[in-house]
Amino acid sequence: MADIEAVRRRIESDAYCETLGIELVDLEPGTASTRLEVSEELTNFHGTPHGGAIYSLADAAFAAASNSYGETAVALETNVSYLEAAEVGAVLTATAAETHGGGRTAEYEVVVTDDADDRIATFRGRVYKP
């Protein structure tokens, strides 16, 4: 297994996440959490967080968790269910956990919550480990 701090540094160097303001909060083998404060710049024309911002937050947790072992893992498929809207200023947290690991593929579930611990979205993804 790779040095978790080296893996953390690599994941934290993600330019896209930095652009959106997504930060890596926790990282352990098979799990990760990311956080994002909803700003006006991340809202859609309804004034709520754009689905792409919420997806990106969940995807960042998924990527971190699936690469946390220090081996490359790339997404095969993902899906997201949006459950509630969040307000501008809310801090969203995405928590990813491995739900199935088997050889060259693995499955992860990511739960996105707001600062009141209300579920905002559920994301599932599968990765391939080349």
Side-chain angles (χ1 to χ4, degrees):
M1 183 175 300
D3 172 23
I4 195 78
E5 288 308 312
V7 173
R8 174 183 277 280
R9 285 190 299 276
R10 190 170 124 241
I11 292 168
E12 288 176 331
S13 72
D14 188 298
Y16 180 71
C17 287
E18 186 177 336
T19 299
L20 290 180
I22 296 171
E23 57 186 290
L24 180 63
V25 178
D26 293 313
L27 181 67
E28 297 293 331
T31 66
S33 329
T34 54
R35 182 181 308 148
L36 175 66
E37 183 172 348
V38 178
S39 64
E40 291 284 343
E41 294 80 15
L42 298 176
T43 60
N44 58 27
F45 56 86
H46 294 296
T48 58
H50 193 284
I54 294 170
Y55 179 93
S56 292
L57 174 65
D59 187 53
F62 167 56
S66 63
N67 283 275
S68 63
Y69 296 106
E71 299 173 3
T72 298
V74 295
L76 284 172
E77 63 182 346
T78 65
N79 67 63
V80 64
S81 296
Y82 300 103
L83 307 171
E84 294 288 335
E87 303 284 326
V88 170
V91 176
L92 303 181
T93 301
T95 304
E98 187 175 68
T99 55
H100 175 74
R104 294 235 170 274
T105 64
E107 180 184 75
Y108 290 81
E109 180 180 58
V110 183
V111 175
V112 178
T113 57
D114 64 13
D115 29 19
D117 211 26
D118 295 323
R119 190 179 283 220
I120 302 300
T122 303
F123 174 109
R124 293 179 64 96
R126 278 189 337 119
V127 294
Y128 175 71
K129 301 173 192 178

